[in-house]
Amino acid sequence: MGKEYPKWLVGCGVGCLAVLVVAFILGIGGFLAMRKVAGGFQEAQKAVSRVESEFGSPEGYSPEPDGRIPADRMEAFLAVRDATSSVRANLGTRVEELEAMSGDGAPRNKSGLQKFLTIMRSGVGTIPRIAEFERNRADALTANRMGLGEYWYIYTLAYYSSAKKDPGDGPKRVHSGDNENIRIDGHTDPQEIREARRSAMSRRVDRLFRRILENAVKDSKSAEKSPWIQAVEKELTALEEDRDRIPWADGLPPPIDESLRPFREKLDQSYDPVMNPLEFIEFGHHGDQW
């Protein structure tokens, strides 16, 4: 697939000399660790490629002709969430450790170099867990016969559209900057980070849903437009006019609402606000193609 993965950029204000010292300290051990990290992402990439080979690209997904989400598909989605819960929890713990080292929680009794080394060590330990999550979720998707497009579709409808979860949810200080780089930001107001993430996530969802809903219209075989297709066309217009809009922000169509209703309690329990941005980690590869 040839995708690029996030880089850990730590802004500690450490000069070139400190960087040289770090390189010397890491030595062969650091090289081996980074090689292991790269290998982990390669395995994750292969797992995601297998999902797309079997179930198609995310933008190719099309909902059921009547708009409903069958109960077995909801159960499959929840099974994927359950299968990734442990990996997400471990990664969340690492992220919390990183955040504790920045901003007001940063240790005051350490020099700039000591802070850099501490964050570097924790950051390097976090990266393999991102690959582990991606690989783990890809394996869970394959086991439950679900593609990324269907997963993202249900994720958005269940959490953002129905439960009104905030697309800006995520770590307070660890966030994506330009070019999908992941930064530890101890200076920016966490609310600004949340708002920037909300805008980025909303636009990603907008791009994905416009393709998925266009597929629904194209796949409609009825000569007369059903209430579902009419709702889809109306929502497509709304998404075109407002790229920050969450799909069906004014209320879900009955087929979707009725499909989600029996699972709302389990869905609410399965939501992970800290790891929310990670759910769209593969989007950077596909988004430029849409």
Side-chain angles (χ1 to χ4, degrees):
M1 291 166 57
K3 72 177 84 168
E4 292 184 0
Y5 285 91
K7 306 169 187 175
W8 285 88
L9 305 178
V10 185
C12 298
V14 181
C16 294
L17 176 61
V19 175
L20 291 175
V21 171
V22 171
F24 175 77
I25 292 173
L26 290 178
I28 295 176
F31 169 76
L32 293 176
M34 294 312 295
R35 188 173 68 176
K36 183 177 180 181
V37 167
F41 275 118
Q42 288 174 357
E43 289 302 314
Q45 184 177 340
K46 291 177 182 177
V48 174
S49 294
R50 288 194 293 270
V51 172
E52 295 191 17
S53 295
E54 187 163 0
F55 303 106
S57 61
E59 67 271 24
Y61 174 71
S62 184
E64 292 289 322
D66 59 1
R68 68 187 181 87
I69 305 173
D72 66 315
R73 305 316 298 152
M74 291 301 305
E75 290 166 357
F77 174 81
L78 287 168
V80 174
R81 299 295 295 165
D82 185 62
T84 60
S85 61
S86 178
V87 174
R88 283 187 281 110
N90 290 337
L91 181 54
T93 298
R94 283 284 187 168
V95 169
E96 289 174 356
E97 291 173 356
L98 280 170
E99 292 202 307
M101 299 174 193
S102 65
D104 296 335
R108 301 182 183 278
N109 59 343
K110 290 187 177 182
S111 67
L113 176 58
Q114 288 175 319
K115 291 179 183 178
F116 177 83
L117 290 173
T118 301
I119 295 176
M120 186 75 172
R121 183 166 55 250
S122 185
V124 169
T126 302
I127 297 173
R129 283 172 169 76
I130 297 176
E132 183 183 8
F133 163 78
E134 192 175 18
R135 185 179 65 252
N136 180 262
R137 188 179 65 178
D139 290 343
L141 287 169
T142 300
N144 288 280
R145 315 302 300 160
M146 177 172 281
L148 263 176
E150 184 180 13
Y151 178 85
W152 282 341
Y153 178 75
I154 296 176
Y155 185 98
T156 299
L157 294 175
Y159 299 133
Y160 300 158
S161 303
S162 177
K164 304 300 182 184
K165 303 298 185 183
D166 186 358
D169 281 344
K172 291 181 179 179
R173 298 193 179 278
V174 179
H175 66 104
S176 297
D178 296 334
N179 301 320
E180 295 301 312
N181 289 327
I182 296 178
R183 301 178 59 243
I184 304 170
D185 192 334
H187 306 290
T188 306
D189 185 337
Q191 186 58 34
E192 291 183 27
I193 293 175
R194 173 179 283 273
E195 290 173 0
R197 183 187 295 122
R198 180 185 299 122
S199 179
M201 295 289 284
S202 297
R203 287 173 181 263
R204 289 177 175 186
V205 168
D206 175 273
R207 291 164 69 185
L208 173 67
F209 260 70
R210 281 188 287 116
R211 290 298 297 269
I212 289 177
L213 296 185
E214 286 169 0
N215 294 339
V217 174
K218 291 177 184 177
D219 293 345
S220 176
K221 295 180 170 49
S222 175
E224 185 176 341
K225 293 180 181 178
S226 66
W228 160 245
I229 294 300
Q230 292 177 35
V232 167
E233 291 183 335
K234 182 179 179 180
E235 187 58 30
L236 271 171
T237 300
L239 291 172
E240 287 284 354
E241 293 175 350
D242 181 2
R243 295 301 172 85
D244 288 324
R245 175 184 172 86
I246 292 301
W248 282 298
D250 304 323
L252 289 168
I256 297 177
D257 186 54
E258 292 167 7
S259 298
L260 296 177
R261 191 176 302 153
F263 299 94
R264 282 199 174 121
E265 184 176 352
K266 290 182 179 179
L267 287 167
D268 190 61
Q269 293 171 351
S270 71
Y271 183 64
D272 189 338
V274 175
M275 292 296 101
N276 171 59
L278 198 65
E279 294 294 341
F280 289 81
I281 189 172
E282 294 89 354
F283 189 94
H285 169 68
H286 290 281
D288 294 338
Q289 304 173 12
W290 300 350

